[in-house]
Amino acid sequence: MVIIVTLLAHGCPLQAIVAAFGFDARTVADWWARSGRQGQAVHESLVEQPRDLGQGQADELRVKKQGGIVWMALAMTVKTRLWLGGEVSAQRDLPLSRRLSERVRRCAARRPLFVCTDGVVSYIRAMRETFRAPVHTGQGGRPRLRPWRNVLIAQVVKRYERRRVVETDRRIIDGTPARVETLRRRSQGDGVIKTAYMERLNATFREHLAPLARRCRALARHTLTLHAGMFVAGTV
């Protein structure tokens, strides 16, 4: 079982494991799901603790599965390359951005935070709604929510022509350019505002998860399979 889970976590298709070891495909799929639940439990125990993230980045993967398209949203911190978690959804919408933002919030301490995303507009609203804390005044009713201090947001919007990037627009949504540059240099060093670290992590997930490989026949049937595989590869 350890050997098979190791192969699954390094991009070996389920069909190849069935052919090589002679197990039933349902047995391997069950081990995959169980290891995914264990990986999620390990991740929530070790990673989802308040820490100084510095700069975080978020992006999505467009994944083909049998019968349609799903989106896998991932987040990481730049300075330590720590994977902060991910979410899988059939829609690239605001609820997906909110769930990913909540995962990032559980990993973030109340310290200055610079979040860099791609051009998806829903991230801006999700980050602003998530990074808030209640202000208790001792009066009845729901307490007012106050945004966290020093949460800076930037977007990197790329324009494509014939599948090639021809223009990159770097936008500072929340925060001053001087403050954004200070946090960026502290976690990233020299350079510019970019999502290259997140894109590199996306490529790693495509290498380590067979259904994410481009133009392959190892497509997942269910969204839960991708969710389990994401936590297996992410934990490894």
Side-chain angles (χ1 to χ4, degrees):
M1 182 177 181
V2 172
I3 294 175
I4 289 178
V5 172
T6 302
L7 291 173
L8 290 171
H10 288 81
C12 184
L14 183 146
Q15 296 85 345
I17 294 176
V18 171
F21 290 88
F23 288 108
D24 189 275
R26 292 168 294 184
T27 301
V28 180
D30 179 64
W31 291 356
W32 195 350
R34 289 166 56 190
S35 60
R37 291 193 294 269
Q38 174 66 14
Q40 183 174 357
V42 171
H43 180 273
E44 293 174 352
S45 175
L46 298 179
V47 178
E48 293 187 2
Q49 301 176 6
R51 67 188 76 228
D52 186 4
L53 298 182
Q55 178 184 352
Q57 294 188 358
D59 200 2
E60 308 89 21
L61 287 171
R62 185 176 181 270
V63 184
K64 289 184 178 180
K65 76 177 188 69
Q66 294 186 10
I69 300 293
V70 297
W71 295 90
M72 181 178 293
L74 307 173
M76 67 173 293
T77 176
V78 172
K79 189 173 183 179
T80 60
R81 307 296 194 271
L82 177 64
W83 180 60
L84 301 178
E87 294 289 341
V88 181
S89 174
Q91 303 293 331
R92 192 187 192 187
D93 52 8
L94 181 59
L96 175 62
S97 300
R98 281 175 174 163
R99 294 200 303 271
L100 184 65
S101 300
E102 289 171 357
R103 283 198 176 273
V104 176
R105 187 183 187 275
R106 291 196 291 268
C107 302
R110 298 285 292 273
R111 301 289 298 278
L113 174 63
F114 172 42
V115 182
C116 187
T117 70
D118 57 7
V120 179
V121 180
S122 60
Y123 274 124
I124 301 175
R125 179 177 174 182
M127 291 292 177
R128 288 173 175 173
E129 292 179 351
T130 302
F131 288 92
R132 297 186 297 178
V135 180
H136 298 285
T137 60
Q139 300 178 357
R142 180 181 177 182
R144 184 170 60 90
L145 298 177
R146 178 183 298 171
W148 286 15
R149 296 183 58 187
N150 298 322
V151 176
L152 315 177
I153 303 176
Q155 284 188 314
V156 178
V157 183
K158 298 179 180 179
R159 187 170 66 87
Y160 293 84
E161 289 184 2
R162 297 181 180 180
R163 298 184 178 182
R164 305 188 70 173
V165 178
V166 296
E167 184 180 359
T168 302
D169 183 16
R170 298 175 174 85
R171 307 172 182 174
I172 297 177
I173 307 300
D174 288 342
T176 63
R179 189 59 175 160
V180 168
E181 182 65 15
T182 299
L183 291 180
R184 189 198 62 77
R185 283 184 173 274
R186 186 182 302 171
S187 58
Q188 177 182 322
D190 295 334
V192 296
I193 298 174
K194 57 185 178 182
T195 56
Y197 302 97
M198 193 66 242
E199 293 167 1
R200 173 60 261 181
L201 183 65
N202 290 346
T204 300
F205 269 81
R206 288 195 181 277
E207 292 173 356
H208 283 250
L209 199 55
L212 268 62
R214 299 182 185 275
R215 298 183 180 180
C216 73
R217 296 187 178 182
L219 300 179
R221 293 184 179 181
H222 307 288
T223 303
L224 291 177
T225 303
L226 294 172
H227 188 269
M230 176 185 66
F231 275 99
V232 172
T235 306
V236 170

